[in-house]
Amino acid sequence: MNFDTRELPAYTADALVIGSGVAGLQAAWYLARAGKHVLLAVRDTLLDSNTNNAQGGIAASFGADDNPELHLADTLVAGAGLSDRDISALVTEEGPRDVQVLWDNGAAFDTNADGTLALGREGCHSRNRIVHANGDATGAEVARSLNALVAQEKLVEPMEHCYFVDLLVQDGRCYGAVALYNGKKIVLRAPAVVLATGGTGRLYSKTTNPEGATGSGMAMAWRAGAEVMDMEFVQFHPTALSLKGCPNFLISEAVRGAGGILRNLKGERFMPGYHPMKELAPRDVVARCIFKEMQAADSPFIYLDATGIEDVAQKFPMIAATCREYGVDISKQPIPIAPAAHYMMGGVHTDEHGCTNIKGLYACGETAATGLQGANRLASNSLLEGLVFGRRAAQHIVSEPAPAAPAGLYWQENSLLEEPQDDSDALITESQELMTRYLGIRRDAAGIKKALAALDLLKRKRAGRAALTAEELDLRSRITVDELIARAALRREESRGGHFRTDFPESRAEWEHHVLDSLETAAASEERKQEMGADKDGYDVWTGRPISVMA
């Protein structure tokens, strides 16, 4: 995209927050309360986020029989050896206070008759610790309450329908971003930028995520030189509604926590034969077991039977209403379900304050890889992570002296490009099919190589095309993140958590570490590819020097 920041309309603030899920709203709220002028910019509207769609709840140790240490232990088990202990201890220790603050400030969480929080249980949790609202609409209540708090802050300036082009980075420091605002290029200047753009579910054909979950923040950070971590770990939620013509609607894990049973097409309960935790086994295990049963029956779905749950429609009103709309009475009929892309454990690598390797650039929520989620996120730890790191990023920004941009600093991009074409939607569909086929629940080297070769062809198809529209920018970001996932998946020669390789079906001790990737290592890989040539599948899988790893 051609631009010269000296010629663009400019917006200036103390901080730029990109995204309005739990992490972005929490960061904006804390920044404004500390006296910072905040630009809160979002791709669609303030309510379009994964947070708004989240059902299950927020995991936090409020129960009399619970404590942060028990929550930490469960987090580490679910993370399959890759959840960072220090980060996980920080989140499980600080998280309950953040939930309490939100509750004290108007979040209408479900309570017991004595006024204490009503706590549910989900997969891999050893205690009831899931804080929820309206049964199965926790995310919507979190989004509502945080939006209400942010709306009271005069220092927060919302900017809806703002699609970001690139971050503005000079000498290792971020000074803002260029965006399309209502279709026109603008520059947003701020000494601190918080990426809270959500996950990557829309890279796949079937997902529980909203339209904006395309990894755009990760792609933008990558292009700016930020490190990404653990991009191979994509979590597929085991139970999404699977009916012809219906949306990929999430059936919360809380349904299984309340007694829902998974059955194959013969009506047989199958999870006891796979795992001692049965329906409440880690999500990666349950998703693979369901996938196996679907393959055995050559069926696009199996069943989640909730008919044995007392007052199930009252406990899960949103699920009941949605299923009823598509002809399923969950109190009398099993629910047709199938796994769907749900959550990205990897993302932009950050420290305990949400800082990236680029000064002034922060990431939090699903966009970030803090080390909490490991190889397989523990259910309902995502909203908790967003609250904790949204706050911590804001506090770090407030504590740091804001640097002034060097005098005369500007950015310019001049490319002689053709006019955009109208086939972006077709290319997006093609990329989604590639990811679903080769980088879904089950993977192998041959398939990953085919995906990389096909993605390379997609890049060539769009080479020389002007990224003048949000659709073209979206396609560019999608391909970037697709490649990052594929590169990491090819690199990790084992199976762990959300990454299952049929050619390496076991976990391996030598792979019990995170994998970092950056433009520097990618450049080294490209140089090595030129030396080695392409393989028989048309894509050189030589990775150059090893991708940077963090023990």
Side-chain angles (χ1 to χ4, degrees), residues 367-546:
T367 306
T370 64
L372 170 70
Q373 312 298 2
N376 185 40
R377 174 176 67 93
L378 179 65
S380 290
N381 265 0
S382 51
L383 291 178
L384 187 72
E385 183 187 40
L387 285 173
V388 171
F389 279 98
R391 169 183 53 78
R392 289 182 70 86
Q395 290 172 336
H396 192 267
I397 291 168
V398 172
S399 70
E400 290 283 292
L409 185 65
Y410 70 93
W411 288 263
Q412 188 177 53
E413 182 174 317
N414 294 311
S415 302
L416 297 176
L417 299 173
E418 301 171 3
E419 287 301 305
Q421 300 176 33
D422 60 1
D423 61 346
S424 295
D425 287 346
L427 295 181
I428 286 171
T429 298
E430 185 178 343
S431 71
Q432 289 174 319
E433 291 172 351
L434 284 171
M435 295 298 288
T436 301
R437 182 173 182 181
Y438 296 121
L439 286 145
I441 294 174
R442 296 164 65 90
R443 308 160 175 183
D444 60 39
I448 298 170
K449 292 178 191 178
K450 289 178 182 178
L452 283 164
L455 289 168
D456 190 56
L457 288 175
L458 283 179
K459 283 198 299 186
R460 295 178 196 174
K461 286 181 182 180
R462 67 173 304 278
R465 291 163 56 158
L468 296 176
T469 64
E471 290 76 19
E472 280 287 335
L473 291 166
D474 184 42
L475 177 60
R476 177 181 67 159
S477 291
R478 284 172 179 270
I479 294 173
T480 296
V481 182
D482 288 345
E483 287 191 318
L484 291 174
I485 293 171
R487 281 161 54 92
L490 189 61
R491 173 72 178 163
R492 184 174 286 277
E493 294 182 334
E494 66 156 357
S495 291
R496 185 183 297 271
H499 171 69
F500 185 79
R501 289 274 298 263
T502 57
D503 47 351
F504 294 97
E506 303 296 329
S507 295
R508 299 164 63 186
E510 62 266 34
W511 278 104
E512 198 165 299
H513 57 68
H514 300 293
V515 173
L516 293 176
D517 203 354
S518 67
L519 280 176
E520 181 183 357
T521 54
S525 175
E526 287 299 317
E527 291 175 8
R528 187 61 172 160
K529 282 165 59 177
Q530 294 299 319
E531 297 174 11
M532 299 298 293
D535 69 7
K536 63 181 181 180
D537 293 319
Y539 185 84
D540 188 336
V541 298
W542 183 269
T543 56
R545 67 187 184 189

Side-chain angles (χ1 to χ4, degrees), residues 12-31:
T12 303
D14 298 315
L16 167 63
V17 176
I18 306 174
S20 61
V22 58
L25 291 171
Q26 177 86 329
W29 184 44
Y30 270 86
L31 285 165

Side-chain angles (χ1 to χ4, degrees), residues 350-370:
T350 69
D351 67 6
E352 69 273 20
H353 303 293
C355 301
T356 72
N357 60 304
I358 297 173
K359 293 180 181 179
L361 179 63
Y362 297 76
C364 51
E366 195 172 351
T367 306
T370 64

Side-chain angles (χ1 to χ4, degrees), residues 3 28 98 100 238 242 259 262 306 437-438 450 544-545 551:
F3 64 81
D98 285 306
Q100 184 73 50
S242 184
L262 290 167
R437 182 173 182 181
Y438 296 121
K450 289 178 182 178
R545 67 187 184 189

Side-chain angles (χ1 to χ4, degrees), residues 55-279:
Q55 295 178 12
I58 308 174
S61 54
F62 282 98
D65 63 343
D66 200 6
N67 57 58
E69 289 74 25
L70 289 172
H71 188 182
L72 169 63
D74 292 345
T75 297
L76 296 177
V77 169
L82 287 188
S83 288
D84 182 276
R85 177 177 285 275
D86 290 341
I87 292 292
S88 300
L90 180 155
V91 172
T92 55
E93 179 67 37
E94 295 184 4
R97 292 197 296 272
D98 285 306
V99 176
Q100 184 73 50
V101 168
L102 192 59
W103 190 24
D104 292 343
N105 281 276
F109 295 129
D110 295 339
T111 56
N112 299 309
D114 61 0
T116 59
L117 287 168
L119 303 173
R121 185 178 297 197
E122 294 183 352
C124 223
H125 286 276
S126 62
R127 297 289 189 276
N128 284 24
R129 64 167 66 99
I130 309 304
V131 178
H132 48 83
N134 301 317
D136 57 358
T138 310
E141 176 57 22
V142 169
R144 183 207 64 77
S145 57
L146 280 172
N147 268 296
L149 292 171
V150 167
Q152 295 172 16
E153 301 294 337
K154 295 181 180 179
L155 288 174
V156 177
E157 184 178 349
M159 299 180 72
E160 295 184 327
H161 307 293
C162 192
Y163 196 98
F164 282 82
V165 178
D166 269 315
L167 296 169
L168 300 177
V169 174
Q170 182 75 25
D171 298 327
R173 174 170 282 281
C174 187
Y175 293 98
V178 170
L180 291 178
Y181 186 38
N182 293 320
K184 296 182 180 180
K185 285 173 284 189
I186 62 170
V187 60
L188 298 98
R189 300 183 184 276
V193 176
V194 180
L195 291 175
T197 53
T200 61
R202 285 284 165 176
L203 300 183
Y204 291 84
S205 299
K206 187 175 179 64
T207 180
T208 62
N209 291 183
E211 289 293 334
T214 61
S216 59
M218 299 174 196
M220 189 162 54
W222 165 266
R223 290 192 297 268
E227 295 174 334
V228 296
M229 184 173 83
D230 293 347
M231 294 298 290
E232 66 271 37
F233 294 118
V234 179
Q235 186 176 81
F236 289 80
H237 197 286
T239 55
L241 184 61
S242 184
L243 284 171
K244 189 175 182 180
C246 78
N248 294 319
F249 179 76
L250 176 69
I251 307 298
S252 170
E253 190 161 313
V255 175
R256 282 177 283 135
I261 293 171
L262 290 167
R263 300 188 186 278
N264 59 27
L265 293 192
K266 297 177 183 178
E268 300 166 336
R269 184 182 187 184
F270 56 85
M271 280 308 300
Y274 287 111
H275 196 279
M277 294 185 74
K278 305 170 188 174
E279 279 78 9

